[in-house]
């Protein structure tokens, strides 16, 4: 199956702490990792299907790190490079003692992409639909099946005009009640 995944590529800095994260407290960092995040996480874990990431990065160090890592897993031909913005980046604090993570994102090139065009695929997934700039007209040109997920489900009702073009909406069990309200 050919699966096109549209959305955000983010240069992640993962910081692992050794005690519960408490606001205003100092925490010991036991490990720091740098890796491609956002839709790259999806590309890294799936080997059964042909994944085609569709996104945008900048011509900067973070963008080139993402491309270098993604080349190990997928074809990167549908990733465009811009010279007008920085690559999105995030600091993610991982607290293994409570099994939680907190992310702080500086959005960049992937959020500024506006020309989301469908590519030849058996399935289209829009990752973090609420962090993409896509028009209803563009989305209606995608062939089915189309699925999407959200970064922040709290504003989902602002996207009803896009949701009606989806075949599947993927949300966490924790957020289902908010969608049905």
């Amino acid at each position: 199956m050919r699966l096109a995944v549209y959305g955000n590529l983010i240069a992640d800095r993962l910081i692992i702490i050794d005690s519960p994260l408490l606001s205003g407290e100092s925490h010991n960092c036991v490990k720091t990792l740098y890796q491609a995040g956002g839709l790259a996480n999806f590309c890294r874990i799936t080997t059964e299907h042909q994944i085609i990431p569709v996104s945008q990065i900048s011509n900067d160090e973070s963008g080139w790190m993402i491309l270098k890592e993604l080349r190990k897993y997928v074809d990167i031909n549908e990733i465009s490079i811009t010279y007008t913005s920085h690559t999105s980046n995030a600091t993610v604090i991982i607290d293994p003692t409570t099994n939680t993570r907190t992310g702080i994102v500086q959005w960049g090139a992937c959020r500024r992409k506006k020309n989301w065009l469908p590519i030849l695929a058996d399935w289209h997934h829009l990752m973090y639909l609420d962090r993409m700039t896509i028009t209803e007209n563009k989305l209606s040109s995608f062939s089915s099946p189309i699925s999407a997920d959200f970064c922040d489900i709290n504003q989902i009702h602002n996207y009803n005009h896009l949701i009606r073009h989806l075949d599947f909406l993927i949300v966490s069990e924790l957020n289902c009640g908010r969608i049905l309200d």
Side-chain angles (χ1 to χ4, degrees), residues 53-179:
V54 182
S55 188
Q56 181 168 272
I57 58 166
S58 186
N59 183 30
D60 58 20
E61 187 176 330
S62 295
W64 294 112
M65 179 275 294
I66 289 172
L67 287 182
K68 181 179 179 184
E69 185 177 334
L70 277 179
R71 278 189 182 103
K72 299 175 190 174
Y73 311 107
V74 294
D75 180 347
I76 60 168
N77 290 335
E78 298 298 332
I79 298 172
S80 60
I81 299 172
T82 182
Y83 297 86
T84 61
S85 180
H86 66 278
T87 298
S88 295
N89 59 75
T91 298
V92 181
I93 302 168
I94 301 170
D95 180 355
T97 63
T98 59
N99 229 10
T100 59
R101 32 184 276 151
T102 300
I104 303 160
V105 182
Q106 182 184 30
W107 296 104
C110 58
R111 282 289 305 269
R112 289 170 176 71
K113 182 172 176 64
K114 292 185 170 107
N115 195 21
W116 295 101
L117 299 172
I119 64 168
L120 180 62
D122 300 309
W123 190 293
H124 303 273
H125 180 72
L126 291 90
M127 188 169 278
Y128 301 165
L129 180 60
D130 57 325
R131 298 299 190 257
M132 295 174 69
T133 304
I134 187 167
T135 65
E136 185 175 3
N137 190 41
K138 290 273 191 210
L139 187 55
S140 68
S141 70
F142 283 61
S143 60
S144 287
I146 308 168
S147 58
D149 58 47
F150 279 73
C151 187
D152 181 1
I153 206 76
N154 291 318
Q155 302 297 319
I156 194 166
H157 298 296
N158 294 338
Y159 296 89
N160 285 339
H161 64 291
L162 298 176
I163 291 172
R164 68 179 180 196
H165 296 282
L166 303 176
D167 298 298
F168 301 94
L169 179 62
I170 301 168
V171 297
S172 71
E173 185 176 316
L174 179 68
N175 293 317
C176 284
R178 284 189 255 178
I179 294 171

Side-chain angles (χ1 to χ4, degrees), residues 13-18 26-33:
R13 176 179 180 215
L14 307 173
I15 298 173
I16 303 169
I17 59 175
D18 65 357
S26 178
H27 295 83
N28 185 37
C29 174
V30 294
K31 191 177 212 178
T32 301
L33 304 168

